[in-house]
Amino acid sequence: MTIAPARHNGELGQAAWSDAQLLYALEEVVEKELNRHLKIAKEWMPHEYVPWSDGRNFPGPLDGEAWEPEQSKVSDIGRIALVVNLLTEDNLPSYHHEIATLFGRDGAWGTWVHRWTAEEGRHGIVMRDYLLTSRAVDPDELERFRMAHMSEGFESDNSHSMLHSVAYVAFQELATRISHRNTGHHSGDPVCDRMLARIATDENLHMVFYRNLLGAAFEMAPDQTMCAVRDVVTGFRMPGHGMPGFERSAARMAIGGIYNLRIHHDDVLQPVLRYLKVLEIGGLGPAGLAAQEELGLFMDGLDGQARKFDERQAAILARREANRRA
């Protein structure tokens, strides 16, 4: 198979790659990363992480016991975060459609798309089984939210570009890992914590796959990749942003220490940017240099916003503690 040379783009100052060219050029990297992933990833069974002995019937055809908030072993912030995290996982059909459309279903790309989808599917399975069996959340509300969220579907802000999509998931997979891990820590239930730690391990492996792929893209098309990373970082949104009540839930998760500006800056954006040395890459054309500068300025500004959030969070938590003791 032959591939046409990348066309020259004066604005980028270097040859510009089409999506088709990049997909072909990155195929060997995808195969290498896929083989590494399959070697490292460990098989695990979702049913082993669910406390089935705690389960009992709900109202309806089986005439079970109605759900009450006091039945939950999970903290208030844990319940909020678990619902957001599960609803995010629920839109897997839309995510699969999008990456299958962008990356294709053939060769190493296709093998990865299907493997990733299968692994992500386990996350939704185990989370829902845990939530219902342990009665951690209102089952009726959870199902209504699922129907509403999935009925809307999902379209990424980056569906227009394969390169933007790779850049996005390099950060988003890490963000998801952090959100799951912090939810487990704040859940108040060791069973929940153990389950989410297992999920977070998968998400970290997914992040490494996409991060390494993004690194290869920087070597092939540095200006285009820099522009894509700039666009993704400055406009980043979590995939659950369209779910019912997301803004309110996200605000409570931020104050509760699940996911906020400080975590986003320090634990998600910075690690990927540092690992790939994005702000140190040389040999860029005019567009790449401009994007690199914009990215650096944005990160500085985000750090400042995070400091202000830290102050507000500390004040809110101190006020809550004072009210609790009063």
Side-chain angles (χ1 to χ4, degrees), residues 29-44 107-120 122 198 201-202 204-206 208-210 212:
V29 181
V30 172
E31 184 170 4
K32 174 186 174 183
E33 292 302 318
L34 173 63
N35 290 335
R36 180 198 55 76
H37 177 84
L38 294 176
K39 184 177 180 180
I40 295 174
K42 295 181 179 180
E43 181 183 62
W44 62 279
W109 280 104
T111 302
W112 167 254
V113 166
H114 294 303
R115 174 71 187 203
W116 175 88
T117 301
E119 291 186 2
E120 289 289 343
R122 286 193 296 213
R198 177 58 260 187
T201 299
D202 278 1
N204 196 64
L205 291 179
H206 297 165
V208 171
F209 178 95
Y210 288 118
N212 292 350

Side-chain angles (χ1 to χ4, degrees), residues 72-89:
S72 176
K73 299 177 183 178
V74 174
S75 64
D76 289 342
I77 189 61
R79 283 201 295 274
I80 293 168
L82 281 163
V83 170
V84 169
N85 290 352
L86 176 55
L87 291 178
T88 300
E89 300 285 356

Side-chain angles (χ1 to χ4, degrees), residues 13-127:
Q14 57 187 223
W17 298 70
S18 69
D19 277 3
Q21 289 170 328
L22 279 170
L23 284 167
Y24 179 80
L26 288 168
E27 179 90 21
E28 289 187 8
V29 181
V30 172
E31 184 170 4
K32 174 186 174 183
E33 292 302 318
L34 173 63
N35 290 335
R36 180 198 55 76
H37 177 84
L38 294 176
K39 184 177 180 180
I40 295 174
K42 295 181 179 180
E43 181 183 62
W44 62 279
M45 302 299 169
H47 54 267
E48 294 179 354
Y49 288 80
V50 178
W52 298 106
S53 59
D54 293 347
R56 51 197 188 275
N57 294 341
F58 289 102
L62 299 181
D63 194 25
E65 180 184 354
W67 181 83
E68 298 292 343
E70 58 269 16
Q71 295 169 356
S72 176
K73 299 177 183 178
V74 174
S75 64
D76 289 342
I77 189 61
R79 283 201 295 274
I80 293 168
L82 281 163
V83 170
V84 169
N85 290 352
L86 176 55
L87 291 178
T88 300
E89 300 285 356
D90 277 334
N91 253 336
L92 181 60
S94 290
Y95 308 149
H96 173 83
H97 173 76
E98 183 162 302
I99 67 171
T101 300
L102 284 166
F103 299 156
R105 299 184 180 186
D106 300 321
W109 280 104
T111 302
W112 167 254
V113 166
H114 294 303
R115 174 71 187 203
W116 175 88
T117 301
E119 291 186 2
E120 289 289 343
R122 286 193 296 213
H123 303 167
I125 290 169
V126 70
M127 288 179 68

Side-chain angles (χ1 to χ4, degrees), residues 162-232:
M162 166 266 183
L163 193 53
H164 280 70
S165 294
V166 169
Y168 175 74
V169 288
F171 295 102
Q172 183 267 322
E173 292 283 2
L174 182 53
T176 303
R177 170 193 175 248
I178 295 296
S179 181
H180 282 313
R181 201 67 193 94
N182 287 343
T183 299
H185 290 328
H186 288 80
S187 69
D189 180 9
V191 175
C192 179
D193 191 21
R194 183 167 55 245
M195 171 194 67
L196 292 177
R198 177 58 260 187
I199 293 174
T201 299
D202 278 1
E203 302 290 8
N204 196 64
L205 291 179
H206 297 165
M207 178 277 294
V208 171
F209 178 95
Y210 288 118
R211 184 197 64 191
N212 292 350
L213 196 57
L214 186 61
F218 265 115
E219 294 179 4
M220 295 177 182
D223 278 20
Q224 280 178 265
T225 307
M226 185 66 72
C227 290
V229 170
R230 182 270 318 276
D231 294 344
V232 164

Side-chain angles (χ1 to χ4, degrees), residues 26 42-43 54-55 96 104 106 114 121 131 138 146 149 152 160 164 172 180-181 246 251 254 267 269 274 288 305 324:
L26 288 168
K42 295 181 179 180
E43 181 183 62
D54 293 347
H96 173 83
D106 300 321
H114 294 303
L131 292 181
D138 182 340
R146 186 191 70 84
H149 189 41
E152 289 294 322
H160 64 286
H164 280 70
Q172 183 267 322
H180 282 313
R181 201 67 193 94
F246 177 76
D267 299 336
L269 298 182
R274 266 199 311 266
Q305 293 177 45
R324 187 186 68 83

Side-chain angles (χ1 to χ4, degrees), residues 131-149:
L131 292 181
L132 297 179
T133 302
S134 68
R135 294 182 172 244
V137 301
D138 182 340
D140 293 346
E141 182 180 72
L142 181 65
E143 177 59 10
R144 292 186 184 111
F145 280 166
R146 186 191 70 84
M147 286 294 296
H149 189 41

